Amino acid sequence: MKFDELKKLIKDALLKAGLSEEDAELLAQVHTESSRDGVYSHGLNRVGKFIELVEDGTIDIKAEPTLIKSMAMVEQYDGNFGIGVKNAIFASNRAKSLAKEYGLGLVSLRNTTHWQRASTYTMNISKENLIGIAWSNTDSNMPAWGSDKVNIGNNPLSIALPDNDFVLDMAMSQYSFGKLQVTASAGEELAYIGGLDKDGNESKNPKDIINGGLAYPMGYWKGSGLAIALDMLAAMLADGNTTYDVNKLDKGMCIGISQVFIAIDPNNFTDDFEKKMSDTIAYIKKGSDSTSYPGERMIIKRKESLEKGIEVDEEYVKKLKDYIYGEK
């Protein structure tokens, strides 16, 4: 599907759900870009769930972020359970402005909702020659290492370097739940063991993990530890909810979460950051065409999507068309 065609489909659905023209345009752009870059789970495929949360009142589409505290290069906001993408774009823009003024900007958000793809916001920062760092906590969706219960979030983290295609975007689970769902829908297996089935057996079958199983933390105990640290850091900096608190709210997936956005001007720290990046990437790729740096495959997929069209799951296309034309 062509980029503009998919964007229009998503925008029309969001307008029907009651979003303003401006907000529908923003979200349609963000969701379409995610699908364009191969992150289908947070593109077209997530629009229907977002609309459900709007229609049942879980997400307040009229809410705007409100300033709680300002401390020079640091600002703290309440997202007021508004649109997660809109809140996160606002916060990453504020981090950029603070970095341009002070050299570094940190903006935290509490009581916000799912931001979809984490790298949307670090790329928003890095496109202006800044370093972008962002992370979010979530509700519980995987076990802490050694536990047999779901009790920590997979808390996505993204880092984007300036004026470059280097973009790290990863959940703290071995596979994000969006990736598990996309792989399951395609009837495919995971490349590596992703967790346990309901009987406690390790599995590469995403359906086993989704249906009563447990997703493994990335790097086992290391991913578990990092997830817990990111959770507590986000909640502290935002004066917001931890994963434990989000669970107690019981409002749904990623409702009432805490997020952090950091922008840094590298020119205040080094005169040759571009050379450091290019030399490192060249060194990593030397002697092996199969070696890739974070973000490289995304750029390849983006080019392919723009040339050949964006891959879409026709089931999700049909659901949105049925919604738009009243055939629920």
Side-chain angles (χ1 to χ4, degrees):
M1 185 178 283
K2 295 292 187 183
F3 185 97
D4 290 344
E5 182 185 1
L6 179 57
K7 180 181 172 183
K8 183 179 186 304
L9 173 67
I10 294 173
K11 183 176 179 178
D12 287 348
L14 295 171
L15 288 170
K16 181 158 186 180
L19 273 69
S20 68
E21 171 73 25
E22 181 180 2
D23 291 347
E25 173 68 21
L26 172 64
L27 265 69
Q29 181 72 25
V30 168
H31 279 274
T32 307
E33 287 177 353
S34 292
S35 283
R36 174 202 64 191
D37 291 350
V39 189
Y40 307 111
S41 58
H42 293 72
L44 166 68
N45 299 13
R46 193 61 70 94
V47 177
K49 181 61 179 178
F50 170 79
I51 290 173
E52 286 179 22
L53 294 171
V54 168
E55 293 192 329
D56 69 16
T58 301
I59 293 175
D60 182 357
I61 60 174
K62 303 298 184 184
E64 300 285 344
T66 51
L67 181 65
I68 303 302
K69 190 179 292 184
S70 177
M71 302 163 281
M73 65 185 68
V74 177
E75 291 181 351
Q76 191 180 73
Y77 288 84
D78 195 312
N80 297 307
F81 297 94
I83 299 170
V85 168
K86 182 179 177 180
N87 284 345
I89 288 289
F90 169 84
S92 58
N93 283 340
R94 284 300 305 148
K96 284 193 296 186
S97 296
L98 292 168
K100 289 174 183 176
E101 182 176 358
Y102 296 104
L104 182 149
L106 187 154
V107 175
S108 61
L109 264 175
R110 70 187 188 203
N111 295 328
T112 192
T113 60
H114 202 308
W115 64 1
Q116 308 310 330
R117 178 173 60 150
S119 55
T120 294
Y121 314 104
T122 55
M123 289 190 291
N124 180 39
I125 293 169
S126 68
K127 70 183 180 182
E128 297 193 31
N129 229 31
L130 300 168
I131 298 165
I133 305 171
W135 74 91
S136 174
N137 64 9
T138 69
D139 46 322
S140 291
N141 52 26
M142 65 180 188
W145 189 247
S147 174
D148 60 356
K149 294 180 176 61
V150 171
N151 50 19
I152 62 174
N154 64 342
N155 307 334
L157 166 71
S158 180
I159 300 171
L161 299 184
D163 194 28
N164 197 279
D165 297 330
F166 185 104
V167 185
L168 175 70
D169 186 343
M170 63 182 192
M172 296 302 110
S173 50
Q174 183 67 27
Y175 292 95
S176 72
F177 281 82
K179 178 66 173 178
L180 291 175
Q181 290 162 353
V182 167
T183 308
S185 295
E188 298 173 352
E189 277 205 337
L190 303 167
Y192 304 96
I193 291 169
L196 304 174
D197 65 17
K198 60 182 177 59
D199 298 318
N201 303 307
E202 291 188 329
S203 179
K204 291 183 179 181
N205 187 329
K207 292 181 180 179
D208 289 346
I209 299 166
I210 294 169
N211 299 320
L214 293 172
Y216 267 159
M218 165 196 74
Y220 303 144
W221 53 89
K222 294 182 180 180
S224 173
L226 185 53
I228 295 168
L230 290 171
D231 173 33
M232 291 192 291
L233 271 175
M236 288 176 186
L237 294 173
D239 191 22
N241 294 319
T242 63
T243 288
Y244 170 69
D245 298 321
V246 173
N247 293 342
K248 289 193 295 181
L249 285 176
D250 196 26
K251 288 179 173 286
M253 183 180 65
C254 291
I255 305 298
I257 55 179
S258 303
Q259 296 174 344
V260 179
F261 306 80
I262 300 172
I264 304 169
D265 186 345
N267 289 299
N268 289 320
F269 301 90
T270 179
D271 293 327
D272 64 346
F273 70 89
E274 292 177 345
K275 185 176 188 304
K276 292 181 190 299
M277 288 193 298
S278 61
D279 285 353
T280 299
I281 288 171
Y283 177 67
I284 290 168
K285 294 184 68 66
K286 186 176 181 180
S288 176
D289 293 336
S290 63
T291 304
S292 62
Y293 58 86
E296 184 176 12
R297 285 181 292 177
M298 178 191 70
I299 297 302
I300 293 170
K301 184 63 180 179
R302 179 183 298 175
K303 182 179 179 182
E304 179 185 302
S305 294
L306 293 175
E307 290 176 353
K308 300 178 181 179
I310 299 170
E311 293 179 42
V312 296
D313 186 324
E314 291 298 334
E315 178 184 349
Y316 289 100
V317 172
K318 183 179 186 303
K319 284 180 179 178
L320 281 196
K321 287 183 176 179
D322 288 348
Y323 174 77
I324 292 166
Y325 298 110
E327 300 172 20
K328 296 185 182 179

